Coordinates of all heavy atoms in Angstrom, one line a residue:
Y227 N 0.9 -1.2 0.0 CA 0.1 0.0 0.0 C 0.8 1.3 0.0 O 0.5 2.2 -0.7 CB -0.9 0.0 1.2 CG -1.0 1.1 2.1 CD1 -1.8 2.2 1.7 CD2 -0.3 1.1 3.2 CE1 -1.9 3.3 2.5 CE2 -0.4 2.4 4.0 CZ -1.2 3.4 3.7 OH -1.3 4.5 4.5
M228 N 2.0 1.2 0.7 CA 2.8 2.4 0.8 C 3.5 2.8 -0.5 O 3.6 3.9 -0.9 CB 3.9 2.3 1.8 CG 3.4 2.2 3.3 SD 2.4 3.8 3.7 CE 3.7 5.0 3.7
R229 N 3.8 1.7 -1.3 CA 4.4 2.1 -2.6 C 3.4 2.8 -3.5 O 3.7 3.7 -4.2 CB 4.9 0.8 -3.3 CG 6.1 0.2 -2.7 CD 6.6 -0.9 -3.5 NE 7.8 -1.4 -2.9 CZ 8.4 -2.6 -3.1 NH1 7.9 -3.3 -4.1 NH2 9.5 -2.9 -2.5
L230 N 2.1 2.3 -3.5 CA 1.1 3.0 -4.2 C 0.9 4.5 -3.7 O 0.6 5.4 -4.5 CB -0.2 2.2 -4.1 CG -1.4 2.8 -4.8 CD1 -1.1 2.9 -6.2 CD2 -2.6 1.8 -4.6
W231 N 0.9 4.6 -2.4 CA 0.7 5.9 -1.8 C 1.8 6.8 -2.3 O 1.6 8.0 -2.7 CB 0.6 5.7 -0.3 CG 0.6 7.1 0.5 CD1 1.6 7.5 1.3 CD2 -0.3 8.2 0.3 NE1 1.3 8.8 1.8 CE2 0.1 9.3 1.2 CE3 -1.5 8.4 -0.4 CZ2 -0.6 10.4 1.3 CZ3 -2.2 9.6 -0.3 CH2 -1.8 10.6 0.5
F232 N 3.0 6.4 -2.3 CA 4.2 7.3 -2.7 C 4.1 7.6 -4.1 O 4.4 8.7 -4.5 CB 5.5 6.6 -2.3 CG 5.9 6.6 -0.8 CD1 6.5 5.6 -0.2 CD2 5.5 7.6 0.0 CE1 6.9 5.5 1.1 CE2 5.8 7.7 1.4 CZ 6.5 6.6 1.8
E233 N 3.7 6.6 -5.0 CA 3.4 6.9 -6.4 C 2.4 7.9 -6.6 O 2.6 8.9 -7.4 CB 3.1 5.6 -7.1 CG 3.1 5.8 -8.6 CD 2.9 4.5 -9.4 OE1 3.2 3.4 -8.8 OE2 2.4 4.5 -10.5
L234 N 1.3 7.8 -5.9 CA 0.2 8.8 -6.0 C 0.8 10.2 -5.6 O 0.4 11.2 -6.2 CB -1.0 8.5 -5.1 CG -2.2 9.4 -5.1 CD1 -2.8 9.6 -6.4 CD2 -3.2 8.9 -4.1
V235 N 1.4 10.3 -4.4 CA 1.9 11.6 -3.9 C 2.9 12.2 -4.9 O 2.9 13.4 -5.2 CB 2.6 11.4 -2.6 CG1 3.3 12.6 -2.1 CG2 1.5 11.1 -1.5
A236 N 3.8 11.4 -5.5 CA 4.7 11.9 -6.6 C 3.9 12.5 -7.7 O 4.4 13.6 -8.2 CB 5.6 10.7 -7.1
L237 N 2.9 11.8 -8.2 CA 2.1 12.4 -9.3 C 1.4 13.7 -8.8 O 1.4 14.7 -9.6 CB 1.1 11.3 -9.8 CG 1.8 10.2 -10.5 CD1 0.7 9.1 -10.7 CD2 2.3 10.7 -11.8
A238 N 0.8 13.7 -7.6 CA 0.2 14.9 -7.1 C 1.1 16.0 -6.9 O 0.8 17.2 -7.1 CB -0.5 14.5 -5.7
A239 N 2.4 15.8 -6.6 CA 3.3 16.8 -6.3 C 3.6 17.6 -7.6 O 4.1 18.7 -7.6 CB 4.7 16.2 -5.8
H240 N 3.4 16.9 -8.8 CA 3.6 17.6 -10.0 C 2.3 18.3 -10.5 O 2.1 18.7 -11.7 CB 4.0 16.6 -11.1 CG 5.5 16.2 -10.9 ND1 6.5 16.9 -11.0 CD2 5.9 15.0 -10.4 CE1 7.6 16.3 -10.8 NE2 7.3 15.2 -10.3
D241 N 1.3 18.4 -9.6 CA 0.1 19.2 -9.8 C -0.7 18.5 -10.9 O -1.5 19.2 -11.6 CB 0.4 20.7 -10.2 CG -0.7 21.6 -9.7 OD1 -1.5 21.1 -8.9 OD2 -0.8 22.8 -10.1
K242 N -0.6 17.2 -11.0 CA -1.4 16.4 -12.0 C -2.7 16.0 -11.4 O -2.8 15.5 -10.3 CB -0.6 15.2 -12.4 CG 0.6 15.5 -13.2 CD 1.2 14.3 -13.7 CE 2.4 14.6 -14.5 NZ 3.1 13.4 -15.1
E243 N -3.8 16.4 -12.1 CA -5.2 15.9 -11.7 C -5.6 14.7 -12.4 O -5.1 14.5 -13.5 CB -6.2 17.0 -11.9 CG -6.0 18.2 -11.0 CD -6.2 17.9 -9.6 OE1 -6.8 17.0 -9.2 OE2 -5.9 18.8 -8.7
P244 N -6.3 13.8 -11.8 CA -6.9 13.9 -10.5 C -6.1 13.5 -9.4 O -6.7 13.5 -8.2 CB -8.2 13.0 -10.7 CG -7.6 11.9 -11.6 CD -6.7 12.5 -12.5
F245 N -4.8 13.2 -9.6 CA -4.0 12.7 -8.6 C -3.9 13.6 -7.4 O -3.9 13.2 -6.2 CB -2.6 12.3 -9.1 CG -2.7 11.4 -10.2 CD1 -2.4 11.8 -11.6 CD2 -3.1 10.1 -10.1 CE1 -2.4 11.0 -12.6 CE2 -3.2 9.2 -11.2 CZ -2.9 9.7 -12.6
R246 N -3.8 14.9 -7.7 CA -3.6 15.9 -6.6 C -4.9 15.9 -5.7 O -4.7 15.9 -4.5 CB -3.3 17.2 -7.1 CG -3.0 18.3 -6.1 CD -2.4 19.6 -6.8 NE -2.0 20.6 -5.8 CZ -0.8 20.6 -5.2 NH1 0.2 19.7 -5.5 NH2 -0.5 21.5 -4.3
S247 N -6.0 16.0 -6.3 CA -7.2 16.0 -5.5 C -7.4 14.8 -4.7 O -7.8 14.8 -3.5 CB -8.4 16.3 -6.5 OG -8.3 17.4 -7.0
I248 N -7.2 13.6 -5.3 CA -7.3 12.4 -4.6 C -6.3 12.3 -3.4 O -6.7 11.9 -2.3 CB -7.2 11.2 -5.6 CG1 -8.3 11.2 -6.6 CG2 -7.1 9.8 -4.9 CD1 -8.1 10.2 -7.8
A249 N -5.0 12.6 -3.6 CA -4.1 12.5 -2.7 C -4.4 13.5 -1.4 O -4.3 13.1 -0.2 CB -2.7 12.9 -3.2
R250 N -4.9 14.6 -1.8 CA -5.3 15.6 -0.7 C -6.3 15.1 0.2 O -6.4 15.2 1.3 CB -5.5 16.9 -1.3 CG -4.3 17.7 -1.9 CD -4.7 19.0 -2.4 NE -5.2 19.9 -1.4 CZ -4.6 21.0 -0.8 NH1 -3.4 21.2 -1.3 NH2 -5.2 21.7 0.0
Q251 N -7.4 14.4 -0.5 CA -8.5 13.8 0.2 C -8.1 12.7 1.1 O -8.5 12.6 2.2 CB -9.6 13.4 -0.7 CG -10.8 12.9 0.0 CD -11.5 13.8 0.9 OE1 -11.7 15.0 0.6 NE2 -11.7 13.4 2.1
I252 N -7.2 11.8 0.6 CA -6.7 10.7 1.3 C -5.9 11.3 2.6 O -6.0 10.8 3.6 CB -5.8 9.8 0.5 CG1 -6.7 9.1 -0.6 CG2 -5.1 8.8 1.3 CD1 -6.0 8.2 -1.6
L253 N -5.0 12.2 2.3 CA -4.3 12.8 3.4 C -5.2 13.4 4.4 O -4.9 13.2 5.6 CB -3.3 13.8 2.9 CG -2.2 14.3 3.8 CD1 -1.4 13.1 4.3 CD2 -1.3 15.4 3.2
S254 N -6.2 14.1 4.1 CA -7.1 14.7 5.0 C -7.8 13.6 5.8 O -7.9 13.8 7.0 CB -8.1 15.5 4.2 OG -9.0 16.1 5.1
T255 N -8.1 12.5 5.1 CA -8.8 11.4 5.8 C -7.8 10.8 6.9 O -8.2 10.5 8.0 CB -9.2 10.3 4.9 OG1 -10.2 10.9 4.0 CG2 -9.9 9.2 5.6
F256 N -6.5 10.7 6.5 CA -5.5 10.2 7.4 C -5.4 11.1 8.6 O -5.4 10.5 9.7 CB -4.1 10.1 6.8 CG -4.0 8.9 5.8 CD1 -2.8 8.9 4.9 CD2 -4.8 7.8 5.7 CE1 -2.7 7.8 4.0 CE2 -4.7 6.8 4.8 CZ -3.5 6.8 4.0
V257 N -5.4 12.4 8.4 CA -5.2 13.3 9.6 C -6.4 13.2 10.4 O -6.3 13.1 11.7 CB -5.0 14.7 9.0 CG1 -5.1 15.8 10.2 CG2 -3.7 14.9 8.3
D258 N -7.6 13.1 9.9 CA -8.8 13.0 10.7 C -8.8 11.7 11.5 O -9.2 11.6 12.7 CB -10.1 13.0 9.8 CG -10.3 14.4 9.1 OD1 -9.7 15.4 9.6 OD2 -11.1 14.5 8.1
W259 N -8.3 10.7 10.9 CA -8.3 9.3 11.5 C -7.4 9.4 12.7 O -7.7 8.9 13.8 CB -7.9 8.2 10.5 CG -7.9 6.9 11.1 CD1 -8.9 6.0 11.5 CD2 -6.6 6.2 11.5 NE1 -8.4 4.9 12.0 CE2 -7.0 4.9 12.0 CE3 -5.3 6.5 11.3 CZ2 -6.1 3.9 12.4 CZ3 -4.3 5.5 11.8 CH2 -4.8 4.3 12.3
V260 N -6.2 10.0 12.5 CA -5.2 10.1 13.5 C -5.8 11.0 14.7 O -5.7 10.7 15.9 CB -3.9 10.6 13.0 CG1 -2.9 10.9 14.2 CG2 -3.2 9.6 12.1
A261 N -6.3 12.1 14.3 CA -6.9 13.0 15.4 C -7.9 12.4 16.2 O -7.9 12.6 17.4 CB -7.5 14.2 14.6
A262 N -8.8 11.5 15.6 CA -9.8 10.9 16.4 C -9.2 9.8 17.3 O -9.7 9.6 18.4 CB -10.7 10.1 15.4
A263 N -8.0 9.3 17.0 CA -7.4 8.3 17.9 C -6.5 8.9 19.0 O -6.2 8.2 20.0 CB -6.5 7.4 17.1
L264 N -6.2 10.3 18.8 CA -5.3 10.8 19.9 C -6.0 11.2 21.1 O -7.1 11.7 21.1 CB -4.7 12.1 19.3 CG -3.6 12.0 18.2 CD1 -3.2 13.4 17.7 CD2 -2.4 11.3 18.7
L265 N -5.3 10.9 22.2 CA -5.7 11.4 23.5 C -5.0 12.7 23.8 O -3.7 12.6 24.0 CB -5.4 10.4 24.6 CG -6.1 9.0 24.4 CD1 -5.6 8.0 25.5 CD2 -7.5 9.2 24.4
V266 N -5.6 13.8 23.8 CA -5.0 15.1 24.0 C -5.6 15.7 25.2 O -6.7 15.6 25.6 CB -5.2 16.0 22.8 CG1 -4.5 15.5 21.6 CG2 -6.6 16.2 22.5
E267 N -4.7 16.6 25.9 CA -5.2 17.4 27.1 C -6.0 18.5 26.6 O -7.0 18.9 27.3 CB -4.0 17.9 27.9 CG -3.3 16.7 28.6 CD -2.2 17.1 29.5 OE1 -2.1 18.3 29.8 OE2 -1.3 16.3 29.7
R268 N -5.7 19.2 25.5 CA -6.3 20.4 25.0 C -6.8 20.1 23.6 O -6.0 19.9 22.8 CB -5.4 21.6 25.1 CG -5.0 22.0 26.5 CD -4.3 23.3 26.6 NE -3.2 23.4 25.7 CZ -1.9 23.7 26.1 NH1 -1.7 24.0 27.4 NH2 -0.9 23.7 25.2
A269 N -8.1 20.1 23.4 CA -8.8 19.8 22.2 C -8.2 20.6 21.0 O -8.1 20.3 19.9 CB -10.2 19.9 22.3
E270 N -7.9 21.9 21.3 CA -7.5 22.8 20.3 C -6.0 22.3 19.7 O -5.6 22.9 18.7 CB -7.3 24.3 20.8 CG -6.3 24.6 21.9 CD -7.0 24.3 23.3 OE1 -8.0 23.8 23.4 OE2 -6.2 24.7 24.2
E271 N -5.4 21.5 20.3 CA -4.0 21.0 19.8 C -4.2 19.7 19.1 O -3.3 19.3 18.4 CB -3.2 20.7 21.0 CG -2.7 22.0 21.8 CD -1.8 21.7 23.0 OE1 -1.7 20.4 23.3 OE2 -1.3 22.6 23.5
R272 N -5.5 19.1 19.0 CA -5.6 17.9 18.3 C -5.3 17.9 16.8 O -4.5 17.0 16.4 CB -7.1 17.5 18.5 CG -7.5 16.2 17.8 CD -8.9 15.8 18.0 NE -9.3 15.7 19.4 CZ -9.0 14.7 20.2 NH1 -8.4 13.7 19.7 NH2 -9.4 14.8 21.5
E273 N -5.6 18.9 16.1 CA -5.3 19.0 14.6 C -3.8 19.1 14.5 O -3.1 18.3 13.6 CB -6.0 20.2 14.0 CG -5.6 20.4 12.6 CD -6.4 19.6 11.6 OE1 -7.5 19.0 12.0 OE2 -6.0 19.5 10.4
Q274 N -3.0 19.9 15.2 CA -1.7 20.1 15.1 C -0.9 18.8 15.4 O 0.0 18.4 14.8 CB -1.2 21.2 16.0 CG -1.6 22.6 15.5 CD -1.2 23.6 16.7 OE1 -1.3 23.4 17.8 NE2 -0.9 24.8 16.2
L275 N -1.3 18.1 16.5 CA -0.7 16.9 17.0 C -0.9 15.8 15.9 O 0.0 15.0 15.7 CB -1.1 16.6 18.3 CG -0.6 17.5 19.5 CD1 -1.2 17.2 20.8 CD2 1.0 17.5 19.5
A276 N -2.1 15.7 15.5 CA -2.4 14.7 14.4 C -1.6 14.9 13.1 O -1.0 14.0 12.6 CB -4.0 14.8 14.0
T277 N -1.4 16.1 12.7 CA -0.6 16.5 11.5 C 0.8 16.2 11.8 O 1.6 15.6 10.9 CB -0.8 18.0 11.2 OG1 -2.2 18.2 10.9 CG2 0.0 18.2 9.9
L278 N 1.4 16.5 13.0 CA 2.8 16.2 13.4 C 2.9 14.6 13.4 O 3.9 14.1 12.9 CB 3.0 16.8 14.8 CG 4.4 16.3 15.3 CD1 5.5 16.8 14.4 CD2 4.6 16.9 16.7
T279 N 2.0 13.9 14.0 CA 2.1 12.4 13.9 C 2.2 11.8 12.7 O 3.0 10.9 12.3 CB 0.9 11.9 14.8 OG1 0.9 12.4 16.2 CG2 1.0 10.3 14.9
L280 N 1.3 12.3 11.7 CA 1.3 11.7 10.4 C 2.6 12.0 9.7 O 3.0 11.3 9.0 CB 0.0 12.2 9.6 CG -0.2 11.6 8.3 CD1 -0.3 10.1 8.4 CD2 -1.4 12.3 7.6
T281 N 3.1 13.3 9.9 CA 4.3 13.7 9.3 C 5.4 12.7 9.7 O 6.3 12.3 8.9 CB 4.7 15.1 9.6 OG1 3.6 16.0 9.1 CG2 5.9 15.6 9.0
L282 N 5.5 12.5 11.0 CA 6.5 11.5 11.5 C 6.4 10.2 10.9 O 7.4 9.5 10.4 CB 6.5 11.4 13.0 CG 6.9 12.6 13.8 CD1 6.6 12.5 15.3 CD2 8.4 12.8 13.7
V283 N 5.2 9.6 10.9 CA 5.0 8.3 10.4 C 5.3 8.3 8.8 O 6.0 7.3 8.4 CB 3.5 7.9 10.6 CG1 3.2 6.6 9.8 CG2 3.3 7.7 12.0
E284 N 4.9 9.3 8.1 CA 5.2 9.3 6.7 C 6.7 9.4 6.4 O 7.2 8.8 5.5 CB 4.5 10.5 6.0 CG 3.0 10.2 6.0 CD 2.6 9.2 4.9 OE1 3.1 9.0 3.8 OE2 1.6 8.4 5.3
G285 N 7.3 10.2 7.2 CA 8.8 10.5 7.0 C 9.6 9.2 7.3 O 10.5 8.8 6.6
I286 N 9.2 8.5 8.4 CA 9.8 7.2 8.7 C 9.5 6.2 7.6 O 10.5 5.5 7.2 CB 9.4 6.8 10.1 CG1 10.0 7.7 11.2 CG2 9.8 5.3 10.3 CD1 9.3 7.5 12.5
A287 N 8.4 6.2 7.1 CA 8.0 5.3 6.0 C 8.8 5.6 4.8 O 9.2 4.6 4.0 CB 6.5 5.3 5.7
L288 N 9.1 6.8 4.5 CA 9.9 7.2 3.4 C 11.3 6.7 3.5 O 11.9 6.2 2.5 CB 9.9 8.7 3.2 CG 10.6 9.4 1.9 CD1 10.1 8.8 0.7 CD2 10.4 10.8 2.0
F289 N 11.9 6.9 4.6 CA 13.3 6.4 4.9 C 13.3 4.9 4.7 O 14.2 4.3 4.1 CB 13.8 6.6 6.3 CG 14.2 8.1 6.5 CD1 13.8 8.8 7.6 CD2 15.1 8.7 5.6 CE1 14.2 10.1 7.8 CE2 15.4 10.1 5.8 CZ 15.0 10.7 6.9
D290 N 12.3 4.2 5.1 CA 12.2 2.7 5.0 C 12.1 2.3 3.5 O 12.7 1.4 3.1 CB 11.0 2.2 5.8 CG 10.9 0.7 5.8 OD1 11.8 0.1 6.3 OD2 9.8 0.2 5.4
A291 N 11.1 3.0 2.8 CA 11.0 2.8 1.4 C 12.2 2.9 0.5 O 12.6 2.3 -0.4 CB 9.9 3.6 0.8
L292 N 13.1 3.9 1.0 CA 14.4 4.1 0.3 C 15.5 3.3 0.8 O 16.7 3.4 0.3 CB 14.7 5.6 0.3 CG 13.7 6.6 -0.4 CD1 14.1 7.9 -0.1 CD2 13.7 6.3 -1.8
G293 N 15.2 2.3 1.8 CA 16.2 1.5 2.3 C 17.2 2.2 3.2 O 18.4 1.7 3.5
D294 N 16.9 3.4 3.8 CA 17.8 4.1 4.6 C 17.6 3.7 6.1 O 17.0 4.5 6.8 CB 17.7 5.6 4.4 CG 18.8 6.5 5.0 OD1 19.5 6.0 5.9 OD2 19.0 7.7 4.5
D295 N 18.0 2.5 6.4 CA 17.7 2.0 7.7 C 18.4 2.9 8.8 O 17.8 3.0 9.9 CB 18.3 0.5 7.9 CG 17.5 -0.4 6.9 OD1 16.3 -0.1 6.5 OD2 18.1 -1.4 6.5
A296 N 19.5 3.4 8.6 CA 20.2 4.2 9.6 C 19.3 5.5 10.0 O 19.2 5.7 11.2 CB 21.6 4.6 9.2
R297 N 18.9 6.2 8.9 CA 18.1 7.4 9.2 C 16.7 7.0 9.8 O 16.2 7.7 10.6 CB 17.9 8.2 7.9 CG 19.3 8.9 7.7 CD 19.1 10.2 6.9 NE 20.3 10.9 6.9 CZ 21.0 10.9 5.7 NH1 20.7 10.3 4.7 NH2 22.1 11.7 5.7
R298 N 16.1 5.9 9.3 CA 14.9 5.4 9.9 C 15.0 5.1 11.4 O 14.2 5.7 12.2 CB 14.3 4.2 9.2 CG 13.0 3.7 9.7 CD 12.6 2.4 9.1 NE 13.6 1.4 8.9 CZ 14.0 0.5 9.9 NH1 13.4 0.6 11.1 NH2 14.9 -0.3 9.8
A299 N 16.1 4.5 11.8 CA 16.4 4.2 13.1 C 16.7 5.4 14.0 O 16.2 5.5 15.2 CB 17.6 3.2 13.2
A300 N 17.4 6.3 13.3 CA 17.7 7.6 14.1 C 16.5 8.3 14.3 O 16.2 9.0 15.4 CB 18.7 8.5 13.2
A301 N 15.4 8.4 13.3 CA 14.2 9.1 13.5 C 13.4 8.4 14.7 O 12.8 9.1 15.5 CB 13.4 9.0 12.2
L302 N 13.4 7.0 14.7 CA 12.7 6.4 15.8 C 13.3 6.7 17.1 O 12.6 6.9 18.1 CB 12.6 4.9 15.4 CG 11.7 4.5 14.3 CD1 11.9 3.0 14.0 CD2 10.3 4.8 14.6
A303 N 14.6 6.7 17.1 CA 15.3 7.0 18.4 C 15.0 8.4 18.8 O 14.8 8.7 20.0 CB 16.8 6.8 18.2
G304 N 14.9 9.4 17.8 CA 14.6 10.8 18.1 C 13.2 10.9 18.8 O 12.9 11.6 19.7
V305 N 12.2 10.1 18.2 CA 10.9 10.2 18.8 C 10.9 9.6 20.2 O 10.3 10.2 21.0 CB 9.9 9.3 17.9 CG1 8.6 9.0 18.5 CG2 9.8 10.0 16.5
A306 N 11.6 8.4 20.4 CA 11.8 7.9 21.7 C 12.3 8.9 22.7 O 11.9 9.0 23.9 CB 12.5 6.6 21.7
L307 N 13.4 9.7 22.3 CA 14.0 10.7 23.2 C 12.9 11.8 23.5 O 12.8 12.2 24.7 CB 15.1 11.4 22.4 CG 16.4 10.6 22.4 CD1 17.5 11.4 21.5 CD2 17.0 10.4 23.7
R308 N 12.2 12.2 22.5 CA 11.2 13.3 22.9 C 10.0 12.8 23.8 O 9.4 13.6 24.5 CB 10.6 13.9 21.6 CG 11.6 14.6 20.7 CD 12.4 15.7 21.4 NE 11.6 16.6 22.1 CZ 12.0 17.3 23.1 NH1 13.2 17.3 23.5 NH2 11.2 18.2 23.6
L309 N 9.8 11.5 23.7 CA 8.8 10.9 24.6 C 9.3 10.5 25.9 O 8.6 10.0 26.8 CB 8.1 9.6 23.9 CG 7.4 10.0 22.6 CD1 6.9 8.6 22.0 CD2 6.2 10.9 22.9
G310 N 10.6 10.8 26.1 CA 11.2 10.5 27.4 C 11.6 9.0 27.6 O 11.5 8.4 28.7
R311 N 11.7 8.4 26.5 CA 12.0 6.8 26.5 C 13.5 6.6 26.0 O 13.5 5.8 25.0 CB 11.0 6.1 25.8 CG 9.6 6.2 26.3 CD 8.8 5.5 25.4 NE 7.5 5.2 25.9 CZ 6.5 4.7 25.3 NH1 6.6 4.5 24.0 NH2 5.4 4.5 25.8
E312 N 14.5 7.2 26.5 CA 15.8 6.9 26.0 C 16.1 5.3 26.0 O 15.7 4.8 27.0 CB 16.8 7.7 26.8 CG 16.7 9.1 26.6 CD 17.9 9.9 27.2 OE1 19.0 9.6 27.0 OE2 17.5 10.8 28.0
G313 N 16.7 4.9 25.0 CA 17.0 3.5 24.9 C 15.9 2.7 24.5 O 16.0 1.5 24.4
A314 N 14.7 3.2 24.2 CA 13.6 2.4 23.8 C 13.7 1.9 22.3 O 14.4 2.5 21.5 CB 12.3 3.2 23.9

């Protein structure tokens, strides 16, 4: 599924329709899905945190798709550091 998603995003990035509209709708749906799953203290932060979460997941998936295991691992370690889980 990720390969298809990355192909769609690449086409959308070149402003090609209907790929751009479809990719934007899928991305919006992803953000909404993540937002609904997040437990947040302040509701006004839900959208920002959902967007950040999706950005992290997509970035890590991109490193993985390109076979850059070192950067993928570094990104995961960085997330663990920010969550206060050093060595996780």
Side-chain angles (χ1 to χ4, degrees):
Y227 130 83
M228 288 305 290
R229 286 184 181 169
L230 178 60
W231 173 240
F232 287 145
E233 186 173 335
L234 177 61
V235 169
L237 290 167
H240 290 286
D241 213 13
K242 292 185 179 183
E243 290 296 344
F245 307 109
R246 187 171 182 87
S247 296
I248 292 168
R250 288 178 66 105
Q251 181 58 48
I252 291 170
L253 189 60
S254 180
T255 301
F256 284 166
V257 171
D258 291 345
W259 180 75
V260 171
L264 285 178
L265 299 175
V266 296
E267 291 180 19
R268 296 190 306 232
E270 63 272 10
E271 294 178 350
R272 183 176 302 280
E273 175 87 15
Q274 292 172 324
L275 292 172
T277 303
L278 175 61
T279 300
L280 187 58
T281 301
L282 288 168
V283 169
E284 291 288 320
I286 290 168
L288 185 59
F289 286 132
D290 187 56
L292 296 174
D294 194 338
D295 295 335
R297 287 205 171 104
R298 180 183 49 80
L302 289 170
V305 170
L307 281 173
R308 295 309 304 159
L309 294 176
R311 296 177 163 169
E312 290 186 54

